Amino acid sequence: MKNLEIAKILFEIADLLELQGVRFKPRAYQMAARTVENLSEDIEEIYKRGELTELPGIGESIAQKIEELIKTGKLKYYNDLKKKLPMDVEQLGKIPGMGPKRIKLLYEKLKVKTLSDLKKAAQQHKIRELRGLGEKIEADVLKGIKSAKKGGRFLLGYIMPLAEEIKTELGKLKEVSAVEIAGSYRRRKEMVGDIDILAVSSQPSRVMEHFVHMKVVADVLAKGSTRSSVRLHNGLQIDLRVVASKEFGSALQYFTGNKEHNVELRKIALAHGYTLNEYGLFTLNKKWVAGRTEEEIYKKLGVVCVSPEMRENTGELALKKVPSLIGYGDAQGDFQTHTTWSDGNDSIEAMATKAQSLGWKFITITDHVGQVRITNPLNEKRLEKQAAEIKKLNKRLDIRIFHGAEVDILKNGTLALSKEWQKKLDVVLASVHLATKMGEKEMTQRICTAMENRVHILGHPTGRQLEKREAYAMNLDKVFECARRNDVHLDIDCHPERMDLGGEQVKAAKGCTFVLSTDAHGVDGLHFLSLGEAIARRGWLSAKDVLNTYSVKEIEKVLGGK
DNA sequence: GCCGTTTTCGGCCCGACTGTTTTCAGTCG
């Protein structure tokens, strides 16, 4: 059984226990589920070594349950729970306002098991008859079912301009002295559910008044003196919190999260004789100790204050010193772009000129070579012509243009390009575009075979497309190992819909080297390079791990060394 | 059910907002 399947069952057990009002166990199961979900290794291997109980949050009892799942594919404990509580907690729980207590109540009184049961109950006005519920909640349920179908997560790259615009608008108010976006946006997660904004003001009600009346607002979900929530026309939810300047650091820390990081930090606070909340760090008799900045809070607690991108409770709180991460703006150029020669919208010159205006030192042209018709792939004759054009431009323009190609990895792992041309190109970027539905073993072997060639970069390694397509089946650990052995750089594809590799995977690929690439198919795509820097930071990379941060001379040396 | 700079037993993060209520439970982040 796969890690994610096991994690899902553990999460469901947590939900079902919560429904029964069981205390503390749900959190234990959630913790265990999250551990399993984030493993970079196959859990069956860990089980075979007898090391399950060494994993954080997994003790004797949960280890036994995992063993039963691995051995039989089933779990009696889980099936019994489901029999007792046969409702679709996952779906019902997504409706705003529907928590464990109400889901249970609705099941017991109205036999509501599914979303459609819930809809029916609301339409027949049965919900308002229950004690503790009323007309408003009934109406909210119907509204919630409608918007739940719209899907609730947004791609970071696409909402960034809107988020920054709102931040700027709030920052301009004379009542606001500081404003920052917190939450998963600040941690630069690939997908965000909502945007949390924090503002400092001594006149919170005036700020709230302005906030809920912004042009982009479609719906006001809640409005208070310190917290308000709105939904924009595109469905994105924005939460605004107004705090005093003394609280800004603690509030920023608190609302940046992630949740597990915060829970851990609060435990550390308790162990030191403090309590921590969004208003500051306090002694046990409520005396304020710190809170103006995040740094002073972490310092008081004796923990390093890492960048928001690293705050996932995956070991960062145990670090002895802050690692030096690649910085925004450190990347000097791009390793993957497409032009009108294949399926891009702009010429090589237009792309290079735009890159130059962004202050870059180099750009790599990697038009498609291979068998996928829709990409309008180049053959070797056209590659020859393209080489001549790039040579001319390199003389004329003040930016280094590398001649590369994105070459299809064929079904058997060979490249769709002759050995001769593999040698001629500055950059060979190999990617899987066809026969994507292979089994794990075959796909792993195929990719590893490809990397034995003169390949500089493995392009968008997992093939995932956010919200659209799952990653190819493959053993990532083996792929990483093979990349290290063959000096192949792993691509961090910065396209907002790819973000591939993702942060967790980059972190798991210890000891590998990386490149950032925009995969831009036009000049407008080039500015997404900073998303790649964000992923690299989420993967704990320093500048020296990422080839884009090297000088053109050093890059030439690395590429030529193959 | 897990865990240990307070512990092998007894804890387990915490505050704002809403709706339904006359003082609070539930949800949310």
Side-chain angles (χ1 to χ4, degrees), chain A residues 153-331:
Chain A
R153 301 194 74 75
F154 295 80
L155 298 176
L156 177 66
Y158 290 157
I159 59 158
M160 261 183 151
L162 182 59
E164 294 299 327
E165 197 179 297
I166 293 172
K167 177 182 160 185
T168 307
E169 180 172 344
L170 291 171
K172 275 186 191 153
L173 296 178
K174 63 176 190 304
E175 294 92 351
V176 170
S177 59
V179 59
E180 192 59 73
I181 305 179
S184 52
Y185 181 91
R186 184 162 179 245
R187 302 198 313 277
R188 296 293 187 264
K189 282 273 283 181
E190 295 94 327
M191 317 246 329
V192 299
D194 60 12
I195 301 276
D196 296 298
I197 303 182
L198 212 59
V200 173
S201 176
S202 47
Q203 290 170 294
S205 54
R206 310 230 343 224
V207 180
M208 291 307 186
E209 204 52 37
H210 183 92
F211 174 65
V212 299
H213 287 109
M214 285 185 312
K215 263 197 201 128
V216 283
V217 171
D219 227 347
V220 179
L221 306 173
K223 181 165 173 269
S225 62
T226 68
R227 206 200 94 196
S228 295
S229 296
V230 299
R231 194 179 301 287
L232 308 188
H233 292 290
N234 66 358
L236 180 64
Q237 185 178 324
I238 313 257
D239 296 344
L240 174 67
R241 265 103 174 171
V242 178
V243 299
S245 65
K246 198 181 170 189
E247 305 157 348
F248 189 55
S250 46
L252 190 57
Q253 192 291 315
Y254 178 78
F255 291 114
T256 297
N258 74 357
K259 200 169 154 202
E260 288 74 32
H261 176 97
N262 283 357
V263 167
E264 193 59 33
L265 198 65
R266 287 184 174 208
K267 278 190 201 162
I268 293 172
L270 281 175
H272 281 74
Y274 297 116
T275 64
L276 177 64
N277 60 34
E278 57 263 53
Y279 301 104
L281 185 67
F282 298 89
T283 61
L284 293 183
N285 46 24
K286 309 270 178 206
K287 197 167 161 273
W288 184 89
V289 181
R292 279 182 196 283
T293 67
E294 291 184 322
E295 287 78 9
E296 66 180 29
I297 295 168
Y298 283 91
K299 201 174 168 199
K300 277 269 183 240
L301 297 176
V303 193
V304 294
C305 180
V306 299
S307 304
E309 296 90 333
M310 290 178 66
R311 298 184 197 164
E312 297 286 332
N313 196 29
T314 52
E316 73 278 9
L317 285 167
L319 289 174
K320 291 277 179 285
K321 62 173 196 189
V322 182
S324 96
L325 298 181
I326 177 175
Y328 290 105
D330 281 359

Side-chain angles (χ1 to χ4, degrees), chain A residues 31 75 101 131 172 209 290 363 423 443 455 515 547:
Chain A
M31 230 164 66
L75 181 60
K101 296 276 160 53
R131 187 180 165 74
K172 275 186 191 153
E209 204 52 37
I363 184 169
K423 275 195 201 128
M443 183 63 95
V455 167
V515 301
L547 193 59

Side-chain angles (χ1 to χ4, degrees), chain A residues 3-17 25-37 43 57-58 61-66 69 75 77-78 81:
Chain A
N3 298 5
L4 291 184
E5 294 173 73
I6 291 177
K8 188 159 184 268
I9 289 175
L10 294 176
F11 274 124
E12 266 185 69
I13 292 175
D15 283 344
L16 292 167
L17 289 171
K25 276 194 200 184
R27 196 176 310 150
Y29 274 95
Q30 270 166 19
M31 230 164 66
R34 211 160 280 127
T35 296
V36 174
E37 184 183 50
I43 194 164
I58 296 181
S61 171
I62 292 184
Q64 267 176 30
K65 295 189 171 76
I66 293 175
L69 280 168
L75 181 60
Y77 177 71
Y78 168 64
L81 273 176

Side-chain angles (χ1 to χ4, degrees), chain A residues 384-438:
Chain A
E384 189 86 58
K385 280 190 187 162
Q386 193 185 39
E389 180 176 332
I390 288 177
K391 199 173 170 188
K392 263 192 218 160
L393 285 169
N394 261 325
K395 276 184 195 153
R396 193 147 62 77
L397 299 177
D398 195 20
I399 181 171
R400 177 74 161 93
I401 307 171
F402 290 120
H403 188 197
E406 182 176 22
V407 183
D408 285 343
I409 298 174
L410 302 179
K411 221 171 161 183
N412 61 6
T414 55
L415 297 191
L417 183 69
S418 69
K419 290 266 183 235
E420 183 197 348
W421 266 98
Q422 285 175 34
K423 275 195 201 128
K424 274 194 195 171
L425 291 170
D426 297 323
V427 176
V428 177
L429 180 138
S431 317
V432 170
H433 291 120
L434 46 93
T436 57
K437 298 253 154 83
M438 275 183 174

